[in-house]
Amino acid sequence: MVSSSVLGFPRIGAFRELKKNTEAYWAGKISADDLLKVGKDIREKNWKLQKEAGVDIIPSNDFSFYDQVLDLSILFNVIPDRYTKYELSTLDTFFAMARGLQRKATETTKAVDVPALEMVKWFDANYHYVRPTFSNSTEFKLNGQKPVDEYLEAKALGIETRPVLVGPVSYLFLGKSDKDSLDLEPITLLEKLLPLYVEILKKLADAGAKEVQIDEPTLVLDLPENVQKAFQTAYKTISETEGLPKIVLASYFGDVRPNIESIKSLPVSGFHFDFVRTPEQFDEVVEILTPEQTLSVGIVDGRNIWKNNFENSIEFVKKAITKVGNERVRVATSSSLLHTPVDLNNEKKLNEEVKNWFSFATQKVNEVVVISKAINGDDVTAELEANAAAIKSRKESKITNNPEVRKRTASALEDPSMAKRPSDFPTRLVSQKAKYNLPVFPTTTIGSFPQTKEIRINRNKFNKGEITAEEYEKFINAEMELVVKFQEEIGLDVLVHGEPERNDMVQYFGEKLNGFAFTTNGWVQSYGSRYVRPPIIVGDVDRPAAMTVKESVYAQSLTKKPMKGMLTGPVTILRWSFPRDDVTQKVQSYQLSLALRDEVADLEKAGITVIQVDEPAIREGLPLRAGAERSDYLNWAAESFRIATSAVEDSTQIHSHFCYSDLDPNHIKALDADVVSIEFSKKDDPNYIQEFSNYPNHIGLGLFDIHSPRIPSKEEFIARIGEILKVYPADKFWVNPDCGLKTRGWEETRASLTNMVEAAKYYREKY
Ligand code: GLN
Ligand code: ZN
C-alpha cells in the first residue's frame, strides 16, 4: 500500500483569521492569550481537515505566527543581543525580530527601539523568511519546544502527525552574519548547532513522534563545497544518535542532482523529491535509495493552482513503485501547500468553467488521497472521470487561446528594435537633465502611500455598488490631492500619486487586462501578516484600454513637479500571478510586455514623462541554479522590460524598482532603466554596496525599512547616506525609501519621509 502525505498546510486560516488577530494583537486590541488561542484553533482545523480527507502523513509544526525560519531562530536562541535587553516576552521578542519595535516608555516598561531583522525571499517563491542572523556571541540553546508542543497538541486531538523542521544545513546557509561578526561564515556553526537538533529530536521521540520531516530545500541550489559536505556531517550525527525518530529528508522547488553526492548514502529513513518541478531527476535520485529507504513522490503541485492531472500522476507513481515497491512509496505534495490559497469552495464568484480547472490547498489534500487510493485499488472511478473531464475542458476552451495576441507576440520577437531605446543612457541623461533640472540627491518615493482604512472601506463600498463610480472617483482624487500636497510640503522632488486606487500592484493590472481570473478569498502568505491574492493567468493576455492614465494625469494636474507614472512590470505581473502551465513563462511575459508598452506610450502622450515600471519580482524569478535556464531567463526577463519601456523619447525618464532580495547589479543593467531604486536599508556588507558603485545609470539605494513602523531620525539618515557615499558616487545618488509605503500608517510615513528629505538637503549643501 502506498501512503499519502502532505508536507505543510497554509496557516493563515480560511478567512485570514491569523492576519486579523495578529494585527489586533499588535494594536493592543487582544491579549497574547487570545492570539495563542487563534493559532491553536487554526492548527486544529487544519489537522482535522487532513485527517478527515484520509491523509496518512499529516504535518505538524508547519504553523507559525510569522515565519517558520524565525521560529527556529527563537527555538535555538539565535537572537541578537539588541532584542534581549528589553525583557520582552518570547512572543514579543519574536515579533520584534520580525518587524522591529518602537515603543515609548510607560510607568512599568522601558522604551524600546529596535529595527527588524532582514527579510528575504524564500527561494523562488513570493514568500519571505526572516533571515537568521548569527554573531560570534550567539549562544545556542533550546528556548522552548514549539515542535514538541504542537506535536502533543495534535496527539491530544487523536491525530498522529509528522513534525516538520527546516534542517540544519539550510537553516545556517540561509542565514547571515551580524554586523559585529562579518567574518563569521554561518555554516561553520554546524557543530554547535547539531546538538540542539539532536536534543529537540530526542524530545519529539519521547513525546511519541515516529518520523520527522526535515526540510533541506538548499539542496536545489548551487552550493559551495563546505556546505555540500555539511549534509554528511549533519545527518550522520543525527542518524547515529540512539533513540531519535526516523528522518525523512525533504527537498523541493528544483533539481537535487548536482548535489546528489551530498545526500547519497545518508543514513536517513527516506527522501522527498519535487517531481512537479523537476520530473527529469527521477532516474538519478531513485538510484541513491538503499533497500529500506522510503521515497516521497512530490506530485501534487504546492506552488500552483491547476488541477492535478490524475492520469499522468498515477502513471508517475507507478513508475516509482516499479523501482522501489509499494510499501516504500508515499504520494505527496511537491512542497508545503503554504504557497496556495486555502479552499476553492470559498470562491463564489468564479466562472464555473474556469473554476473547474483549479485546485487549492484543501482540494490538493484530496488529490494526494485520491491518487493513493487509485493505486491501492480503491474505487475512485468517479473522481478520475471528473478529473479527466476537467483537464479536457481546459485544453479545448476558447478562453485559453487568442490568435491575435499570438500573432503580435510572434512578430514582436522578430523585431529586435522593439527592445531598445533609440539612444544610449549618457545621451538620454543630457535631455533628461535639461527637462527636469533636478537637484543633486534628488528625492522620491517608490509609489504607494498608506492604504488607510478609509481607502479600503470606500473601495469595498464601490465594489459592492454602495457608492457610484463618480463618488469613488471623487474620493480617490481627494486622496491624491492629500498625497501630492504632503509631498510638496516636505519638499520631495519627483512625486507620486500614491496608488490609492490600487488594491494590489498586480491584481490591479490583472483586472484591467484580458486573460486573467480572480479569486475573492484566494489569499496566500507573502510575509508575516501580509497576504496576497494572486490573479490567475488563464489565457492569452492583452490590454483592452488604458489602465492608469486617468489617475496619473489628474495627479500631475495638481503639481508643477514631475509626477511619476506607476506601472507593474511584465515579469512581476507574471511572477505574482499563478501562471499558466500550458504556455511557457517566456511567452506569457512577452504578452504582458506588449500590453505595458501600449500603456507606457499612452502615458507619455498624456504628458507623464517620468514612468516607473516596478520589477520587484525579477530576482525571485531567477532559476535557482546557474546554467542555460538561468541565462535564458535573464535574457527574456530583461527583454520583456525593454519591450515595455523602449518606445519613448530620450527625455522620458524610465525608472524601475526592485526589492526583497540580494540583487546582482549585472542583472539589472540589462534593463537599461534610467533610474532604479532598490531595497537596501538592511544591507550592511560594504562589499555589497561596492558592487553597485559601478552600475552605469542612476540608483537610489533604499534608505529605510518600510516593513517596520520604526522612524529613523534625520541623523540616522545622514549617517547612512554618509556610509554609502564612501563607496558610491554622489552624482548618481537618488534618495528614497526601500519600497512603497502602503502598509505603513501616516504618522510614521510623515516623520520618516520628512527626516529623509532633510538629510538629502544636508548633503545638497555639501556637494
Ligand atoms: N510601486 C509599488 C508601491 O510602491 C511597488 C511595490 C513593491 O515593489 N513591492 O507600492
Ligand atoms: Zn518594493
Side-chain angles (χ1 to χ4, degrees), residues 27 47 49 62 132 172 213 275 344 423 446 459 477 485 582 647 661 702 707 721 731 747 763:
W47 287 323
L49 179 153
D62 53 342
L172 291 171
Q213 169 190 329
F275 295 120
L344 185 62
S423 312
I446 308 306
R459 183 181 303 134
N477 285 352
K485 187 158 166 267
D582 56 342
S661 36
H707 301 300
I721 295 174
D731 61 341
E747 197 186 318
Y763 280 103

Side-chain angles (χ1 to χ4, degrees), residues 446-448 499 505 566 576 612 614 616 657 659-660 739-740 742:
I446 308 306
S448 56
E499 306 178 26
M505 66 185 290
M566 196 60 63
W576 290 356
Q612 178 172 311
D614 293 325
H657 163 72
C659 49
Y660 300 131
C739 187
K742 61 175 161 257

Side-chain angles (χ1 to χ4, degrees), residues 8 70 81 211 227 236 241 260 277 321 345 527 579 612 735:
L70 182 59
D81 294 340
E211 187 171 289
V227 177
K236 281 205 176 116
T241 309
I260 199 90
R277 183 70 72 87
I321 292 172
N345 288 328
Y527 64 86
Q612 178 172 311
V735 170

Side-chain angles (χ1 to χ4, degrees), residues 328-376:
R328 286 161 55 209
V329 167
R330 280 104 181 252
V331 176
T333 56
S334 65
S335 64
S336 167
L337 298 173
L338 177 67
H339 314 287
T340 60
V342 179
D343 190 354
L344 185 62
N345 288 328
N346 295 331
E347 297 305 322
K348 306 293 179 210
K349 289 197 184 143
L350 275 173
N351 158 325
E352 286 299 321
E353 179 189 359
V354 169
K355 184 175 175 182
N356 191 33
W357 303 341
F358 301 158
S359 168
F360 293 178
T362 305
Q363 289 67 42
K364 286 170 188 283
V365 163
N366 274 310
E367 290 183 343
V368 167
V369 174
V370 172
I371 298 168
S372 320
K373 281 189 175 165
I375 290 180
N376 290 335

